[in-house]
């Protein structure tokens, strides 16, 4: 099947289909020859007031599912089920793509698994695996309305960065989600909070990760289970608060408040 462009289509439904492009395969973080940004796509949605996309299989295009709404604010769309892999961006919600609901999607082997640059979008009950960045929230500093939504019940694992929040100004809620890295190499499962305010990670599991909070950011963690070792690196000026968190036997937690120069043992909860 060829790419499908729904630009200007006010209302539509799209049932299960299979689309395979001719782009390169993703072979690992930072590897030459990975998918690159470009004009190819699986599905493009723009200026659609109501839409439903169900159970697509999309591979080997620059942008698997591309949703935007310039110049007006519209919402009422959903993306449910399916498999997206070997893309530069698996799912990309941007430029006032407000109120899009994404659920039950399996995204793997992409440079960026799911990218959310627009507000009030809800990402639920799916997973990103073996990507350079599994979830990128608010990555575009020139975004028209920024990320301010939720991620619920998501499983992001074995990515170089399982979660990266960048340039988020109105907060983002992440609940009941798991961020699991490997034990070495590029599979470090990092969590990066960069130039972002009001990031909340509530519940779920975090393991085998380095959590980075830069000097302009705020990260709040509550009721998280640390099932494997985690390092927390907070730059001076950054805000990090953890309450009600639990640590499984055998997990080692360390924290640095000077950007990573010195570490001390960490209980999992701040005073």
């Amino acid at each position: 099947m060829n790419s499908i462009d729904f630009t200007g289509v006010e209302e539509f439904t799209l049932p299960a289909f299979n689309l395979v492009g001719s782009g390169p395969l993703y072979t690992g973080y930072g590897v030459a020859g990975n998918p690159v940004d470009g004009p190819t796509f699986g599905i493009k949605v723009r200026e659609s007031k109501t839409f439903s996309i169900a159970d697509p299989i999309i591979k080997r295009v620059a942008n698997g599912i591309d949703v935007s709404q310039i110049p007006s604010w519209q919402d009422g769309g959903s993306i449910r089920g399916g498999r997206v892999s070997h893309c530069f961006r698996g799912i990309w919600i941007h430029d006032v793509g407000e109120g899009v609901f994404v659920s039950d999607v399996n995204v793997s082997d992409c440079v960026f698994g799911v990218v959310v640059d627009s507000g009030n979008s809800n990402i639920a009950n799916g997973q990103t695996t073996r990507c350079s960045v599994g979830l990128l929230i608010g990555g575009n500093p020139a975004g028209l309305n920024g990320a301010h939504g939720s991620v619920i019940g998501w499983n992001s694992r074995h990515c170089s960065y399982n979660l990266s929040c960048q340039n988020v100004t109105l907060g983002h809620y992440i609940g009941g989600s798991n961020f699991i890295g490997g034990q070495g190499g590029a599979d470090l499962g990092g969590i990066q909070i960069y130039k972002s305010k009001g990031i909340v990670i509530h519940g779920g599991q975090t393991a085998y990760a380095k959590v980075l909070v830069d000097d302009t950011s705020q990260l709040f963690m509550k009721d998280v289970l640390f099932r494997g070792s985690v390092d927390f690196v907070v730059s001076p000026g950054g805000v990090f608060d953890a309450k009600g968190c639990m640590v499984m036997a055998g997990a080692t937690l360390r924290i640095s408040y000077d950007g990573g120069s010195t570490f001390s043992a960490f209980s999992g909860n701040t005073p």
Side-chain angles (χ1 to χ4, degrees):
M1 179 181 287
N2 295 323
S3 298
I4 305 170
D5 191 342
F6 284 104
T7 297
V9 179
E10 185 169 289
E11 181 173 313
F12 69 88
T13 61
L14 183 64
F17 67 94
N18 193 331
L19 187 151
V20 180
S22 59
L25 298 173
Y26 178 87
T27 55
Y29 176 76
V31 176
N34 279 335
V36 297
D37 200 3
T40 62
F41 57 88
I43 305 169
K44 181 181 289 185
V45 181
R46 182 167 174 161
E47 293 300 318
S48 295
K49 292 183 178 179
T50 304
F51 66 89
S52 175
I53 299 169
D55 298 319
I57 296 176
I58 301 173
K59 302 177 184 178
R60 302 181 68 178
V61 292
N63 296 301
I65 302 176
D66 179 343
V67 180
S68 66
Q69 297 291 1
I70 289 177
S72 63
W73 286 18
Q74 305 287 352
D75 56 20
S78 66
I79 301 165
R80 294 173 288 111
R83 181 85 156 83
V84 182
S85 62
H86 298 286
C87 300
F88 183 74
R89 300 179 189 91
I91 299 174
W92 186 22
I93 303 170
H94 61 106
D95 291 325
V96 204
E98 284 256 324
V100 178
F101 184 67
V102 179
S103 66
D104 307 301
V105 181
N106 188 340
V107 181
S108 75
D109 302 288
C110 295
V111 177
F112 299 100
V114 176
V115 181
V116 180
D117 285 338
S118 291
N120 296 313
S121 291
N122 300 291
I123 314 298
N125 303 326
Q127 71 172 4
T128 42
T129 311
R130 297 186 306 276
C131 299
S132 294
V133 180
L135 286 172
L136 176 58
I137 308 296
N140 181 7
L144 296 181
N145 69 330
H148 46 278
S150 63
V151 177
I152 305 293
W154 199 264
N155 192 29
S156 190
R157 59 192 178 90
H158 304 309
C159 304
S160 183
Y161 288 97
N162 283 323
L163 170 67
S164 180
C165 296
Q166 301 184 22
N167 309 298
V168 177
T169 57
L170 297 174
H172 214 86
Y173 178 81
I174 301 161
S177 298
N178 300 327
F179 301 104
I180 311 298
Q183 287 76 45
D187 180 17
L188 293 178
I191 294 176
Q192 178 188 54
I193 313 299
Y194 176 75
K195 292 186 177 180
S196 293
K197 305 295 187 183
I199 305 302
V200 177
I201 299 178
H202 186 191
Q205 299 183 17
T206 297
Y208 313 116
K210 179 177 284 187
V211 179
L212 304 170
V213 181
D214 84 338
D215 59 353
T216 65
S217 294
Q218 298 171 323
L219 172 62
F220 306 98
M221 303 184 82
K222 182 173 175 58
D223 300 334
V224 174
L225 173 63
F226 299 112
R227 82 168 206 217
S229 298
V230 181
D231 279 350
F232 299 86
V233 179
V234 183
S235 294
V239 175
F240 172 68
D241 188 62
K243 295 289 189 295
C245 298
M246 301 156 285
V247 183
M248 285 183 62
T252 300
L253 306 186
R254 304 189 307 164
I255 193 165
S256 169
Y257 287 104
D258 60 8
S261 296
T262 58
F263 285 86
S264 58
F266 181 49
S267 69
N269 292 285
T270 54

